[in-house]
Each structure stands twice: as C-alpha cells, then as structure tokens.
Amino acid sequence: MTSYKVLDVNDDLPIRTKGAVHSGKVRSVYWLTDEDSARLINEKGYQVPKGTELAIMVISDRISAFDCIWQGENGLNGVPGKGIALNSVASHWFKLFDKAGLAGNHIVDIPHPYVWIVRKASTVKVEAIARQYITGSMWRDYAKGTRNFCGIDLPEGLTANQKLDDVLITPSTKGIITGVAEIPEVDDVNITRENITNNLSVFNFKSEDDVAKYEQLLVEGFKLISDELAQLDQIFVDTKFEFGYVEDIDGSDKLIYIDEVGTPDSSRIWDGPAYRDGKIVENSKEGFRQLLIYNVPDSDVLLNKDRMGEREQLAKDYTLPESVMLEVSDTYVGIASKIVGEKITIPSDPRGEVIAILDSEYGLIKHS
C-alpha cells in the first residue's frame, strides 16, 4: 500500500453549514451560517462589510482532465500535494496582485494550506482566457484553416508553439448561456467581445466599462505572472482567470479576481531552457493530459467529444499506475515550490489537520 495520504474526498467534513455543500471537480464550498459569518468577521477583523456571507473552500488532491476525475492504483485517488501546490501558487499571485495595486480577490483568510475562507461574489459568466503562444486546441484549429478566434483574426504563416505578438483574449462561456441566438447552449463555448457587450446582463456584467476592466485586469495579471515566471526561466503560455462582483466596505460594487489564478491547473507553463532547445516540457496539467493520452488503450476516447459516455466509463474503470500519479505530484509540487520560493511540504494527514484547525481556531466543527 502507498504511504501517501491524499485529500480525495473533501465534501464530507463536519463543518457547520447553511444549506448543502457545493462540490466541484477539485474544490468544495461550505457556506457558513449567518451567525458564524458574523462572528468570524467580528473576531478576526476581516475587512468586509457586516452581513457578508463567508464560505470555507476546501481544495482536494483529485485530478481532473478531459472533464473526468482520474484515479491511481493502491487507492491513490489523487495526486499527493496537488491541492496544497495549487492553493500556495494562487495565494502567492494574489498577494503580488495586491502589492501591484490590481483588483482584490475573494480570499479573506487562509486557515490551512488546503483551506481558504472566501467571501460571496456574484460571478461573471465568462472564462477569461489569455494566450501568449499558439498551442493546444488553438493550434489544432489553426492548422485546419481557422483564422478567426473569438472575433480576432490571426495572420497566415504561424507555426506550432510560436509566441504571438500580443496577448490574445479568447473568452468562453462559464456555465450554459441560454436565450442568446448566436451562442450555443453548451458549457465552455468560445465567444467574442461583441457577444458579451451585446448581452451584458446575461453574462452578469454591470456595465460595458466593466468588460474593458476585466480585460485590463486579465492582461495586467497575465503580464505580472509572466514577468515573475520569466525570472525562474519558465514561460507563461496561456491561462484562465475568473471574475466576480463583491460589495466594498463603502457599499459600492467592486470587480475582483475569484477562483484561482496562475496555477498549473488553470495555465500552461513551459520550461524555458527546453523551449529554446525546440522541445516542450510542461510544468502544468498539460503534462498529465499527455500522460493519459499515452497510457489509455484508445486515446480517441479522450479527444473525441462524441464519445463522452465511453470516456466517463473509462475514467471510472481505469486506474493509473502509482508511478504516474507520483510523477504528476513531482510536477505540481516542483513548480509550486519554485514559484513561492520555498519547499512545499505535503501533510501526512491533511484531513485531520484541516478539521483540527477549523475546530480549535475557528469554532466551525460540529460535535455530535
């Protein structure tokens, strides 16, 4: 049996909540009772308006790719240290964003490396994607003859993995958008800036100025991370940010960064020396996607959206070798340690630690 403990199930912690736990692919969100939110704002001095709803957001070590969750052998149903690596990296970038005077974010406290306390935000329904290189699905479409991406025309003659002259903003929908003729009713479909500005309320934007604001925050955030990674001789290839509105202390609405930024899950990061050598070495989830493609019996199941049923069955039945899960762990923990400037240590009992801290320091654990 493996000696590693991963936090693979993160939606059954005995946290006192208001309503059901929301469980996503990687994070689970526990909305606190109004009493607990008010108590913590008061006790901890959080700089948010009174009456703000707070949630405990617990990250897991599960790994998803191709819209499925994957398991390893010997019950290793996650990647050791992955959750802590993602949280550490995102928190690091958020701190630098604050220092640089960019928008704030939804985190009000970090009780444990696997846990954020976040404030409720009204989510903008746009996956804000920025690209500095032509690769992945964009390259595949370009190679087939597509030249217009999200309303932006690309020139002829580009080559795979080439750096683009400018950072491209290629948004897609977050969730399913209904009632807009030109937007198919499926999740994660490419859209143009015009789609957004013509349907502000559908995408939950308050004004056209805020569309320009999210683009500015996306490009500024991208540049900051890119410059920092360049100092580590790593290349920031592309990324996805998310935005939302919160009420500021003075009562005004404020557009902020939410979810995570600049992590190996939400971004592609390439090794600089290898790229200059003409090779691509992925320091992000893309490496795991490639491992899957080479490990599963029929890679078309992963790449063909028409075979989603088969893909879901494959993910349920298939266990990856422990060596693959540990290789992915090395990638995540390695790049995170580089970025934050100190070695990421993997807790021996993440679940036990999280419950203990939320009990002793925050008074949020139910005792039956």
Side-chain angles (χ1 to χ4, degrees), residues 1 11 31-32 36 56 62 64 73 97 105 110 117 127 129-131 176 184 213 230 240 284 298 309 314 328-329 337:
M1 267 308 262
D11 61 358
W31 287 104
L32 299 183
D36 279 330
I56 301 291
R62 291 192 300 272
S64 72
E73 61 190 9
F97 284 10
N105 60 76
I110 302 176
I117 297 182
E127 301 273 15
I129 297 164
R131 305 171 188 269
I176 295 169
K213 177 80 174 162
K240 170 185 73 97
S284 53
D298 176 7
L314 173 69
V328 178
S329 172
S337 298

Side-chain angles (χ1 to χ4, degrees), residues 10-12 17-31 55-58 62 174 259:
N10 61 338
D11 61 358
D12 66 346
T17 60
K18 170 173 73 176
V21 177
H22 171 74
S23 191
K25 281 203 190 92
V26 174
R27 296 176 191 273
S28 287
V29 180
Y30 298 73
W31 287 104
I56 301 291
M57 192 179 265
V58 183
R62 291 192 300 272
K174 179 176 170 58
D259 198 52

Side-chain angles (χ1 to χ4, degrees), residues 21-308:
V21 177
H22 171 74
S23 191
K25 281 203 190 92
V26 174
R27 296 176 191 273
S28 287
V29 180
Y30 298 73
W31 287 104
L32 299 183
T33 65
D34 294 344
E35 294 76 19
D36 279 330
S37 287
R39 176 176 61 80
L40 287 179
I41 290 168
N42 187 37
E43 281 176 10
K44 305 285 187 185
Y46 299 148
Q47 293 303 294
V48 297
K50 286 189 178 1
T52 296
E53 288 182 72
L54 300 180
I56 301 291
M57 192 179 265
V58 183
I59 197 166
S60 71
D61 291 316
R62 291 192 300 272
I63 188 156
S64 72
F66 304 106
D67 293 317
C68 296
I69 302 285
W70 299 86
Q71 288 89 34
E73 61 190 9
N74 296 335
L76 195 60
N77 294 332
V79 170
K82 173 179 177 271
I84 221 168
L86 294 185
N87 269 6
S88 301
V89 168
S91 307
H92 176 79
W93 297 134
F94 280 143
K95 277 190 199 112
L96 292 186
F97 284 10
D98 284 346
K99 209 187 269 182
L102 305 187
N105 60 76
H106 61 150
I107 303 171
V108 296
D109 199 354
I110 302 176
H112 183 274
Y114 274 86
V115 180
W116 290 342
I117 297 182
V118 299
R119 55 181 306 191
K120 189 163 202 173
S122 173
T123 305
V124 168
K125 294 180 181 175
V126 171
E127 301 273 15
I129 297 164
R131 305 171 188 269
Q132 180 74 86
Y133 290 75
I134 184 164
T135 191
S137 60
M138 187 185 223
W139 167 252
R140 288 193 291 275
D141 289 343
Y142 184 92
K144 288 178 195 154
T146 304
R147 293 295 176 268
N148 186 282
F149 294 86
C150 301
I152 303 162
D153 287 316
L154 289 189
E156 296 294 332
L158 297 179
T159 54
N161 307 321
Q162 180 179 337
K163 187 173 185 182
L164 300 164
D165 290 340
D166 301 298
V167 173
L168 288 193
I169 298 176
T170 58
S172 64
T173 54
K174 179 176 170 58
I176 295 169
I177 299 294
T178 56
V180 180
E182 62 270 29
I183 300 173
E185 293 189 3
V186 291
D187 187 18
D188 201 20
V189 61
N190 285 351
I191 47 177
T192 64
R193 188 181 201 278
E194 197 178 17
N195 290 151
I196 300 170
T197 54
N198 287 347
N199 303 279
L200 290 172
S201 62
V202 171
F203 288 101
N204 207 23
F205 273 110
K206 295 190 186 300
S207 69
E208 198 163 325
D209 282 351
D210 283 348
V211 178
K213 177 80 174 162
Y214 107 78
E215 291 175 329
Q216 177 197 342
L217 290 173
L218 174 60
V219 171
E220 286 176 349
F222 189 97
K223 185 177 186 316
L224 185 150
I225 295 173
S226 184
D227 290 349
E228 290 289 324
L229 285 178
Q231 292 178 36
L232 304 171
D233 212 350
Q234 300 292 303
I235 296 169
F236 201 38
V237 178
D238 53 37
T239 197
K240 170 185 73 97
F241 286 2
E242 293 183 27
F243 294 91
Y245 289 95
V246 292
E247 187 189 333
D248 210 350
I249 285 280
D250 65 7
S252 63
D253 283 321
K254 190 167 71 165
L255 192 64
I256 62 161
Y257 298 99
I258 62 171
D259 198 52
E260 59 177 44
V261 290
T263 71
D265 252 22
S266 61
S267 319
R268 272 193 186 85
I269 300 168
W270 289 342
D271 181 70
Y275 182 76
R276 291 192 294 277
D277 247 1
K279 297 192 288 282
I280 298 296
V281 172
E282 297 280 358
N283 280 324
S284 53
K285 192 201 272 186
E286 189 57 33
F288 177 66
R289 292 188 191 102
Q290 299 302 327
L291 279 168
L292 275 177
I293 286 169
Y294 291 118
N295 271 278
V296 301
D298 176 7
S299 62
D300 184 65
V301 174
L302 302 178
L303 301 169
N304 186 341
K305 281 190 174 163
D306 296 333
R307 299 181 71 181
M308 200 64 211

